[in-house]
Amino acid sequence: MHYIDCDVYQSQVPHASQSCCYLMHNSEYPVTSFAILDSHTCLTSDNVIDLIMMKLRPLYENRKNLKLECKGSRFTLQDFVFKSTSVQLTSTNSILGILLEVEYLPSVTAGNCYALLKEMVEGILGKSVEIPNYLKIRSSELYSPNDTMQQYLEHFNLLKKSHLSQVTSQQQS
């Protein structure tokens, strides 16, 4: 079972921008928390950051209605790891989409194996795929769990935005 969750904390500081902090957990790293800011800064720590966020309640409010979860399966084929998950908005139990993560274990930089990953994903999905913008920018850098979480957050935000716009258009009809 593969699992990722994302709690959204919104800034409550008066006269400041309404920035968010996304607190994420990944079953691949069970004792690690990832706090990602709107500026894409990622703080990685042990789970003590969850307690710190509770202490920061006057500054950051937990937006429980925006919590996302990703649940699914993990498969291994030779040097490849596949994680197929459904993304759910927990407040409504709505399935927002399905994500497929593909990892090539021998490589530590995305740029060195992107053609191989692209061929593998196109073979599975049967359609052409493009390199994500996040990887284009960091193609020569060492890949880390922070990069994975940043990409999940990017997809979560796209799926959430799409869902909220659909709900809004249905309410206006």
Side-chain angles (χ1 to χ4, degrees):
M1 170 66 86
H2 179 63
Y3 177 83
I4 291 177
D5 70 14
C6 177
D7 286 302
V8 180
Y9 290 85
Q10 189 167 21
S11 172
Q12 298 301 307
V13 178
H15 309 295
S17 65
Q18 291 295 305
S19 61
C20 291
C21 175
Y22 304 90
L23 186 59
M24 301 178 71
H25 304 94
N26 186 334
S27 59
E28 298 283 314
Y29 311 99
V31 296
T32 305
S33 292
F34 302 86
I36 304 174
L37 303 176
D38 284 335
S39 64
H40 302 288
T41 301
C42 184
L43 170 67
T44 306
S45 75
D46 58 14
N47 287 334
V48 76
I49 197 159
D50 295 77
L51 299 173
I52 293 171
M53 290 307 291
M54 290 173 61
K55 296 283 186 190
L56 291 175
R57 206 170 274 167
L59 301 175
Y60 283 96
E61 178 187 350
N62 187 346
R63 302 289 308 272
K64 293 183 183 196
N65 61 328
L66 297 178
K67 180 176 178 141
L68 292 162
E69 289 181 337
C70 208
K71 294 179 184 176
S73 301
R74 182 184 195 277
F75 307 97
T76 304
L77 175 66
Q78 304 282 334
D79 290 333
F80 291 92
V81 176
F82 302 90
K83 298 168 194 160
S84 174
T85 58
S86 60
V87 180
Q88 180 179 18
L89 187 62
T90 59
S91 63
T92 63
N93 290 328
S94 299
I95 300 293
L96 304 182
I98 296 173
L99 294 178
L100 175 65
E101 176 187 346
V102 180
E103 180 180 1
Y104 182 60
L105 297 175
S107 183
V108 293
T109 59
N112 289 346
C113 64
Y114 185 73
L116 183 61
L117 287 170
K118 180 177 166 125
E119 182 179 340
M120 177 63 81
V121 172
E122 287 176 350
I124 292 169
L125 299 179
K127 66 177 196 173
S128 180
V129 295
E130 293 298 318
I131 184 169
N133 288 332
Y134 185 86
L135 292 180
K136 285 180 186 175
I137 296 167
R138 292 167 181 78
S139 65
S140 62
E141 295 177 18
L142 290 180
Y143 196 84
S144 74
N146 291 358
D147 297 315
T148 299
M149 299 311 285
Q150 292 271 12
Q151 290 180 83
Y152 269 101
L153 180 59
E154 188 176 305
H155 287 290
F156 284 173
N157 284 334
L158 289 171
L159 291 169
K160 185 171 46 178
K161 183 178 179 180
S162 173
H163 173 73
L164 293 175
S165 69
Q166 287 176 359
V167 168
T168 303
S169 67
Q170 288 173 356
Q171 289 173 348
Q172 291 174 350
S173 298

